[in-house]
Amino acid sequence: MPHWRGDLEEIKRILLLAGYDTGVSLGSDGLELADIKRLPEAALNVVLIPELGHEIASYLEMELGQKYLLLTWPYGFNNTLQWLQHIGEAIDWPPQLEELKNEISLAEKDIFDECFLLKHNFLDYSLQRIIMTTPYSIADSLRQAIENSGYDIISAQEYYIKTDESEIIDEKRNYHIWNENISIDKLKADNYQLLLGTERERIGLGDLDRTIYLNFSMPSSKIKSKNIFFAGIRGWQNFMYMFKEQLNTLEYIKYQNQ
């Protein structure tokens, strides 16, 4: 994912505030042999992308006797707290959540105010669908964050995922399967779609004037920033801020074209 560096920094931050030290982060920049030698010190291994890390975690459990959790990225405020609680249960050490809950409380108030303004200003707005082209575990974590957020402004009527036959999809989640070879219904009047994918997919989908887009799949620029990320508490604030700014822009363009 293009913003994994910022995601990882935020995850380390919330873990530290919850009372947990982070050891080795496999796949992170600057990893050296001395870091690898510290692997046996871990009380628990957390797998953020099961499609990539499950096999390694299973090997470490077999070789070192280390427990592991398949938790994927913590998106959204409620999901982040639940994510930390799962870790606490696994090591029998409850997380310290007071400071994090205070931070969430302040952020939620601001987001609620902004969502209220959007609903008031754009009465005809409706989010028809969300299309996610990330690995399934990340897509489903994002959907849970959206559905648990309580923000009507990001609640969608339909969810589409781009997947291949090797991924196991929970049929109870009622996902629509999408790829470049499958046509998708035209958007209804005044409806929008949210694409969590790539710039190329954005162009291929069409309806650019009614597509809110966040890059969740491939780097689209050589310019990198740790300030653009979506995991954890600050990441969810970024998600909502970028969503709001794009919706505002698209609505202003529509108004000017009338």
Side-chain angles (χ1 to χ4, degrees):
M1 294 187 299
H3 42 73
W4 64 268
R5 292 177 179 85
D7 283 335
L8 203 54
E9 289 300 315
E10 171 67 358
I11 286 171
K12 289 179 179 180
R13 184 186 77 87
I14 62 175
L15 282 169
L16 186 61
L17 288 175
Y20 305 129
D21 291 326
T22 304
V24 181
S25 299
L26 293 178
S28 60
D29 289 340
L31 200 62
E32 299 181 354
L33 181 60
D35 298 315
I36 300 297
K37 289 180 178 179
R38 293 184 56 210
L39 280 173
E41 300 174 10
L44 179 72
N45 292 319
V46 177
V47 181
L48 295 172
I49 306 180
E51 292 88 345
L52 301 178
H54 193 180
E55 189 173 337
I56 297 173
S58 297
Y59 174 80
L60 291 174
E61 182 182 49
M62 181 177 63
E63 292 294 316
L64 303 176
Q66 292 175 331
K67 295 187 294 184
Y68 69 89
L69 287 178
L70 305 178
L71 284 183
T72 192
W73 299 93
Y75 296 113
F77 297 144
N78 294 329
N79 282 13
T80 295
L81 295 179
Q82 291 173 8
W83 188 86
L84 291 168
Q85 287 167 343
H86 285 312
I87 291 175
E89 291 168 1
I91 59 176
D92 197 24
W93 185 358
Q96 301 168 23
L97 299 178
E98 183 176 356
E99 187 172 348
L100 291 167
K101 285 182 177 180
N102 288 337
E103 186 176 335
I104 288 172
S105 180
L106 292 173
E108 279 189 321
K109 182 184 181 304
D110 293 337
I111 292 174
F112 176 83
D113 290 345
E114 291 293 338
C115 287
F116 179 82
L117 276 176
L118 288 173
K119 293 283 285 185
H120 180 267
N121 292 338
F122 311 133
L123 297 176
D124 296 328
Y125 162 84
S126 179
L127 187 62
Q128 182 172 327
R129 57 185 172 235
I130 297 175
I131 304 167
M132 300 173 285
T133 65
T134 66
Y136 173 68
S137 63
I138 293 175
D140 202 53
S141 182
L142 282 163
R143 179 175 177 176
Q144 290 177 38
I146 290 166
E147 292 178 337
N148 293 337
S149 70
Y151 307 136
D152 291 342
I153 205 76
I154 57 172
S155 295
Q157 302 167 33
E158 303 169 330
Y159 289 85
Y160 287 76
I161 56 172
K162 184 179 181 180
T163 184
D164 56 47
E165 295 179 357
S166 65
E167 292 187 292
I168 300 174
I169 309 301
D170 185 351
E171 294 181 358
K172 296 179 182 178
R173 302 287 282 154
N174 293 322
Y175 282 108
H176 300 274
I177 305 301
W178 175 82
N179 60 51
E180 287 85 348
N181 299 318
I182 298 176
S183 61
I184 194 168
D185 293 338
K186 295 287 291 183
L187 288 170
K188 300 173 185 175
D190 294 317
N191 281 13
Y192 284 83
Q193 61 188 2
L194 169 62
L195 171 64
L196 307 177
T198 68
E199 186 70 28
R200 179 179 177 181
E201 290 159 346
R202 178 191 193 185
I203 295 171
L205 277 171
D207 289 316
L208 295 179
D209 59 337
R210 289 187 288 158
T211 300
I212 299 165
Y213 164 69
L214 297 177
N215 185 1
F216 261 83
S217 293
M218 296 291 290
S220 58
S221 171
K222 291 184 178 180
I223 303 173
K224 299 177 177 63
S225 173
K226 285 188 176 182
N227 295 321
I228 302 175
F229 60 93
F230 302 110
I233 298 171
R234 293 176 178 174
W236 196 242
Q237 290 175 278
N238 287 340
F239 184 97
M240 294 302 301
Y241 172 79
M242 294 175 75
F243 182 97
K244 173 189 76 76
E245 289 296 292
Q246 289 195 44
L247 178 58
N248 270 324
T249 300
L250 293 176
E251 281 286 330
Y252 292 149
I253 291 172
K254 183 177 75 173
Y255 176 76
Q256 283 193 327
N257 290 337
Q258 287 178 347

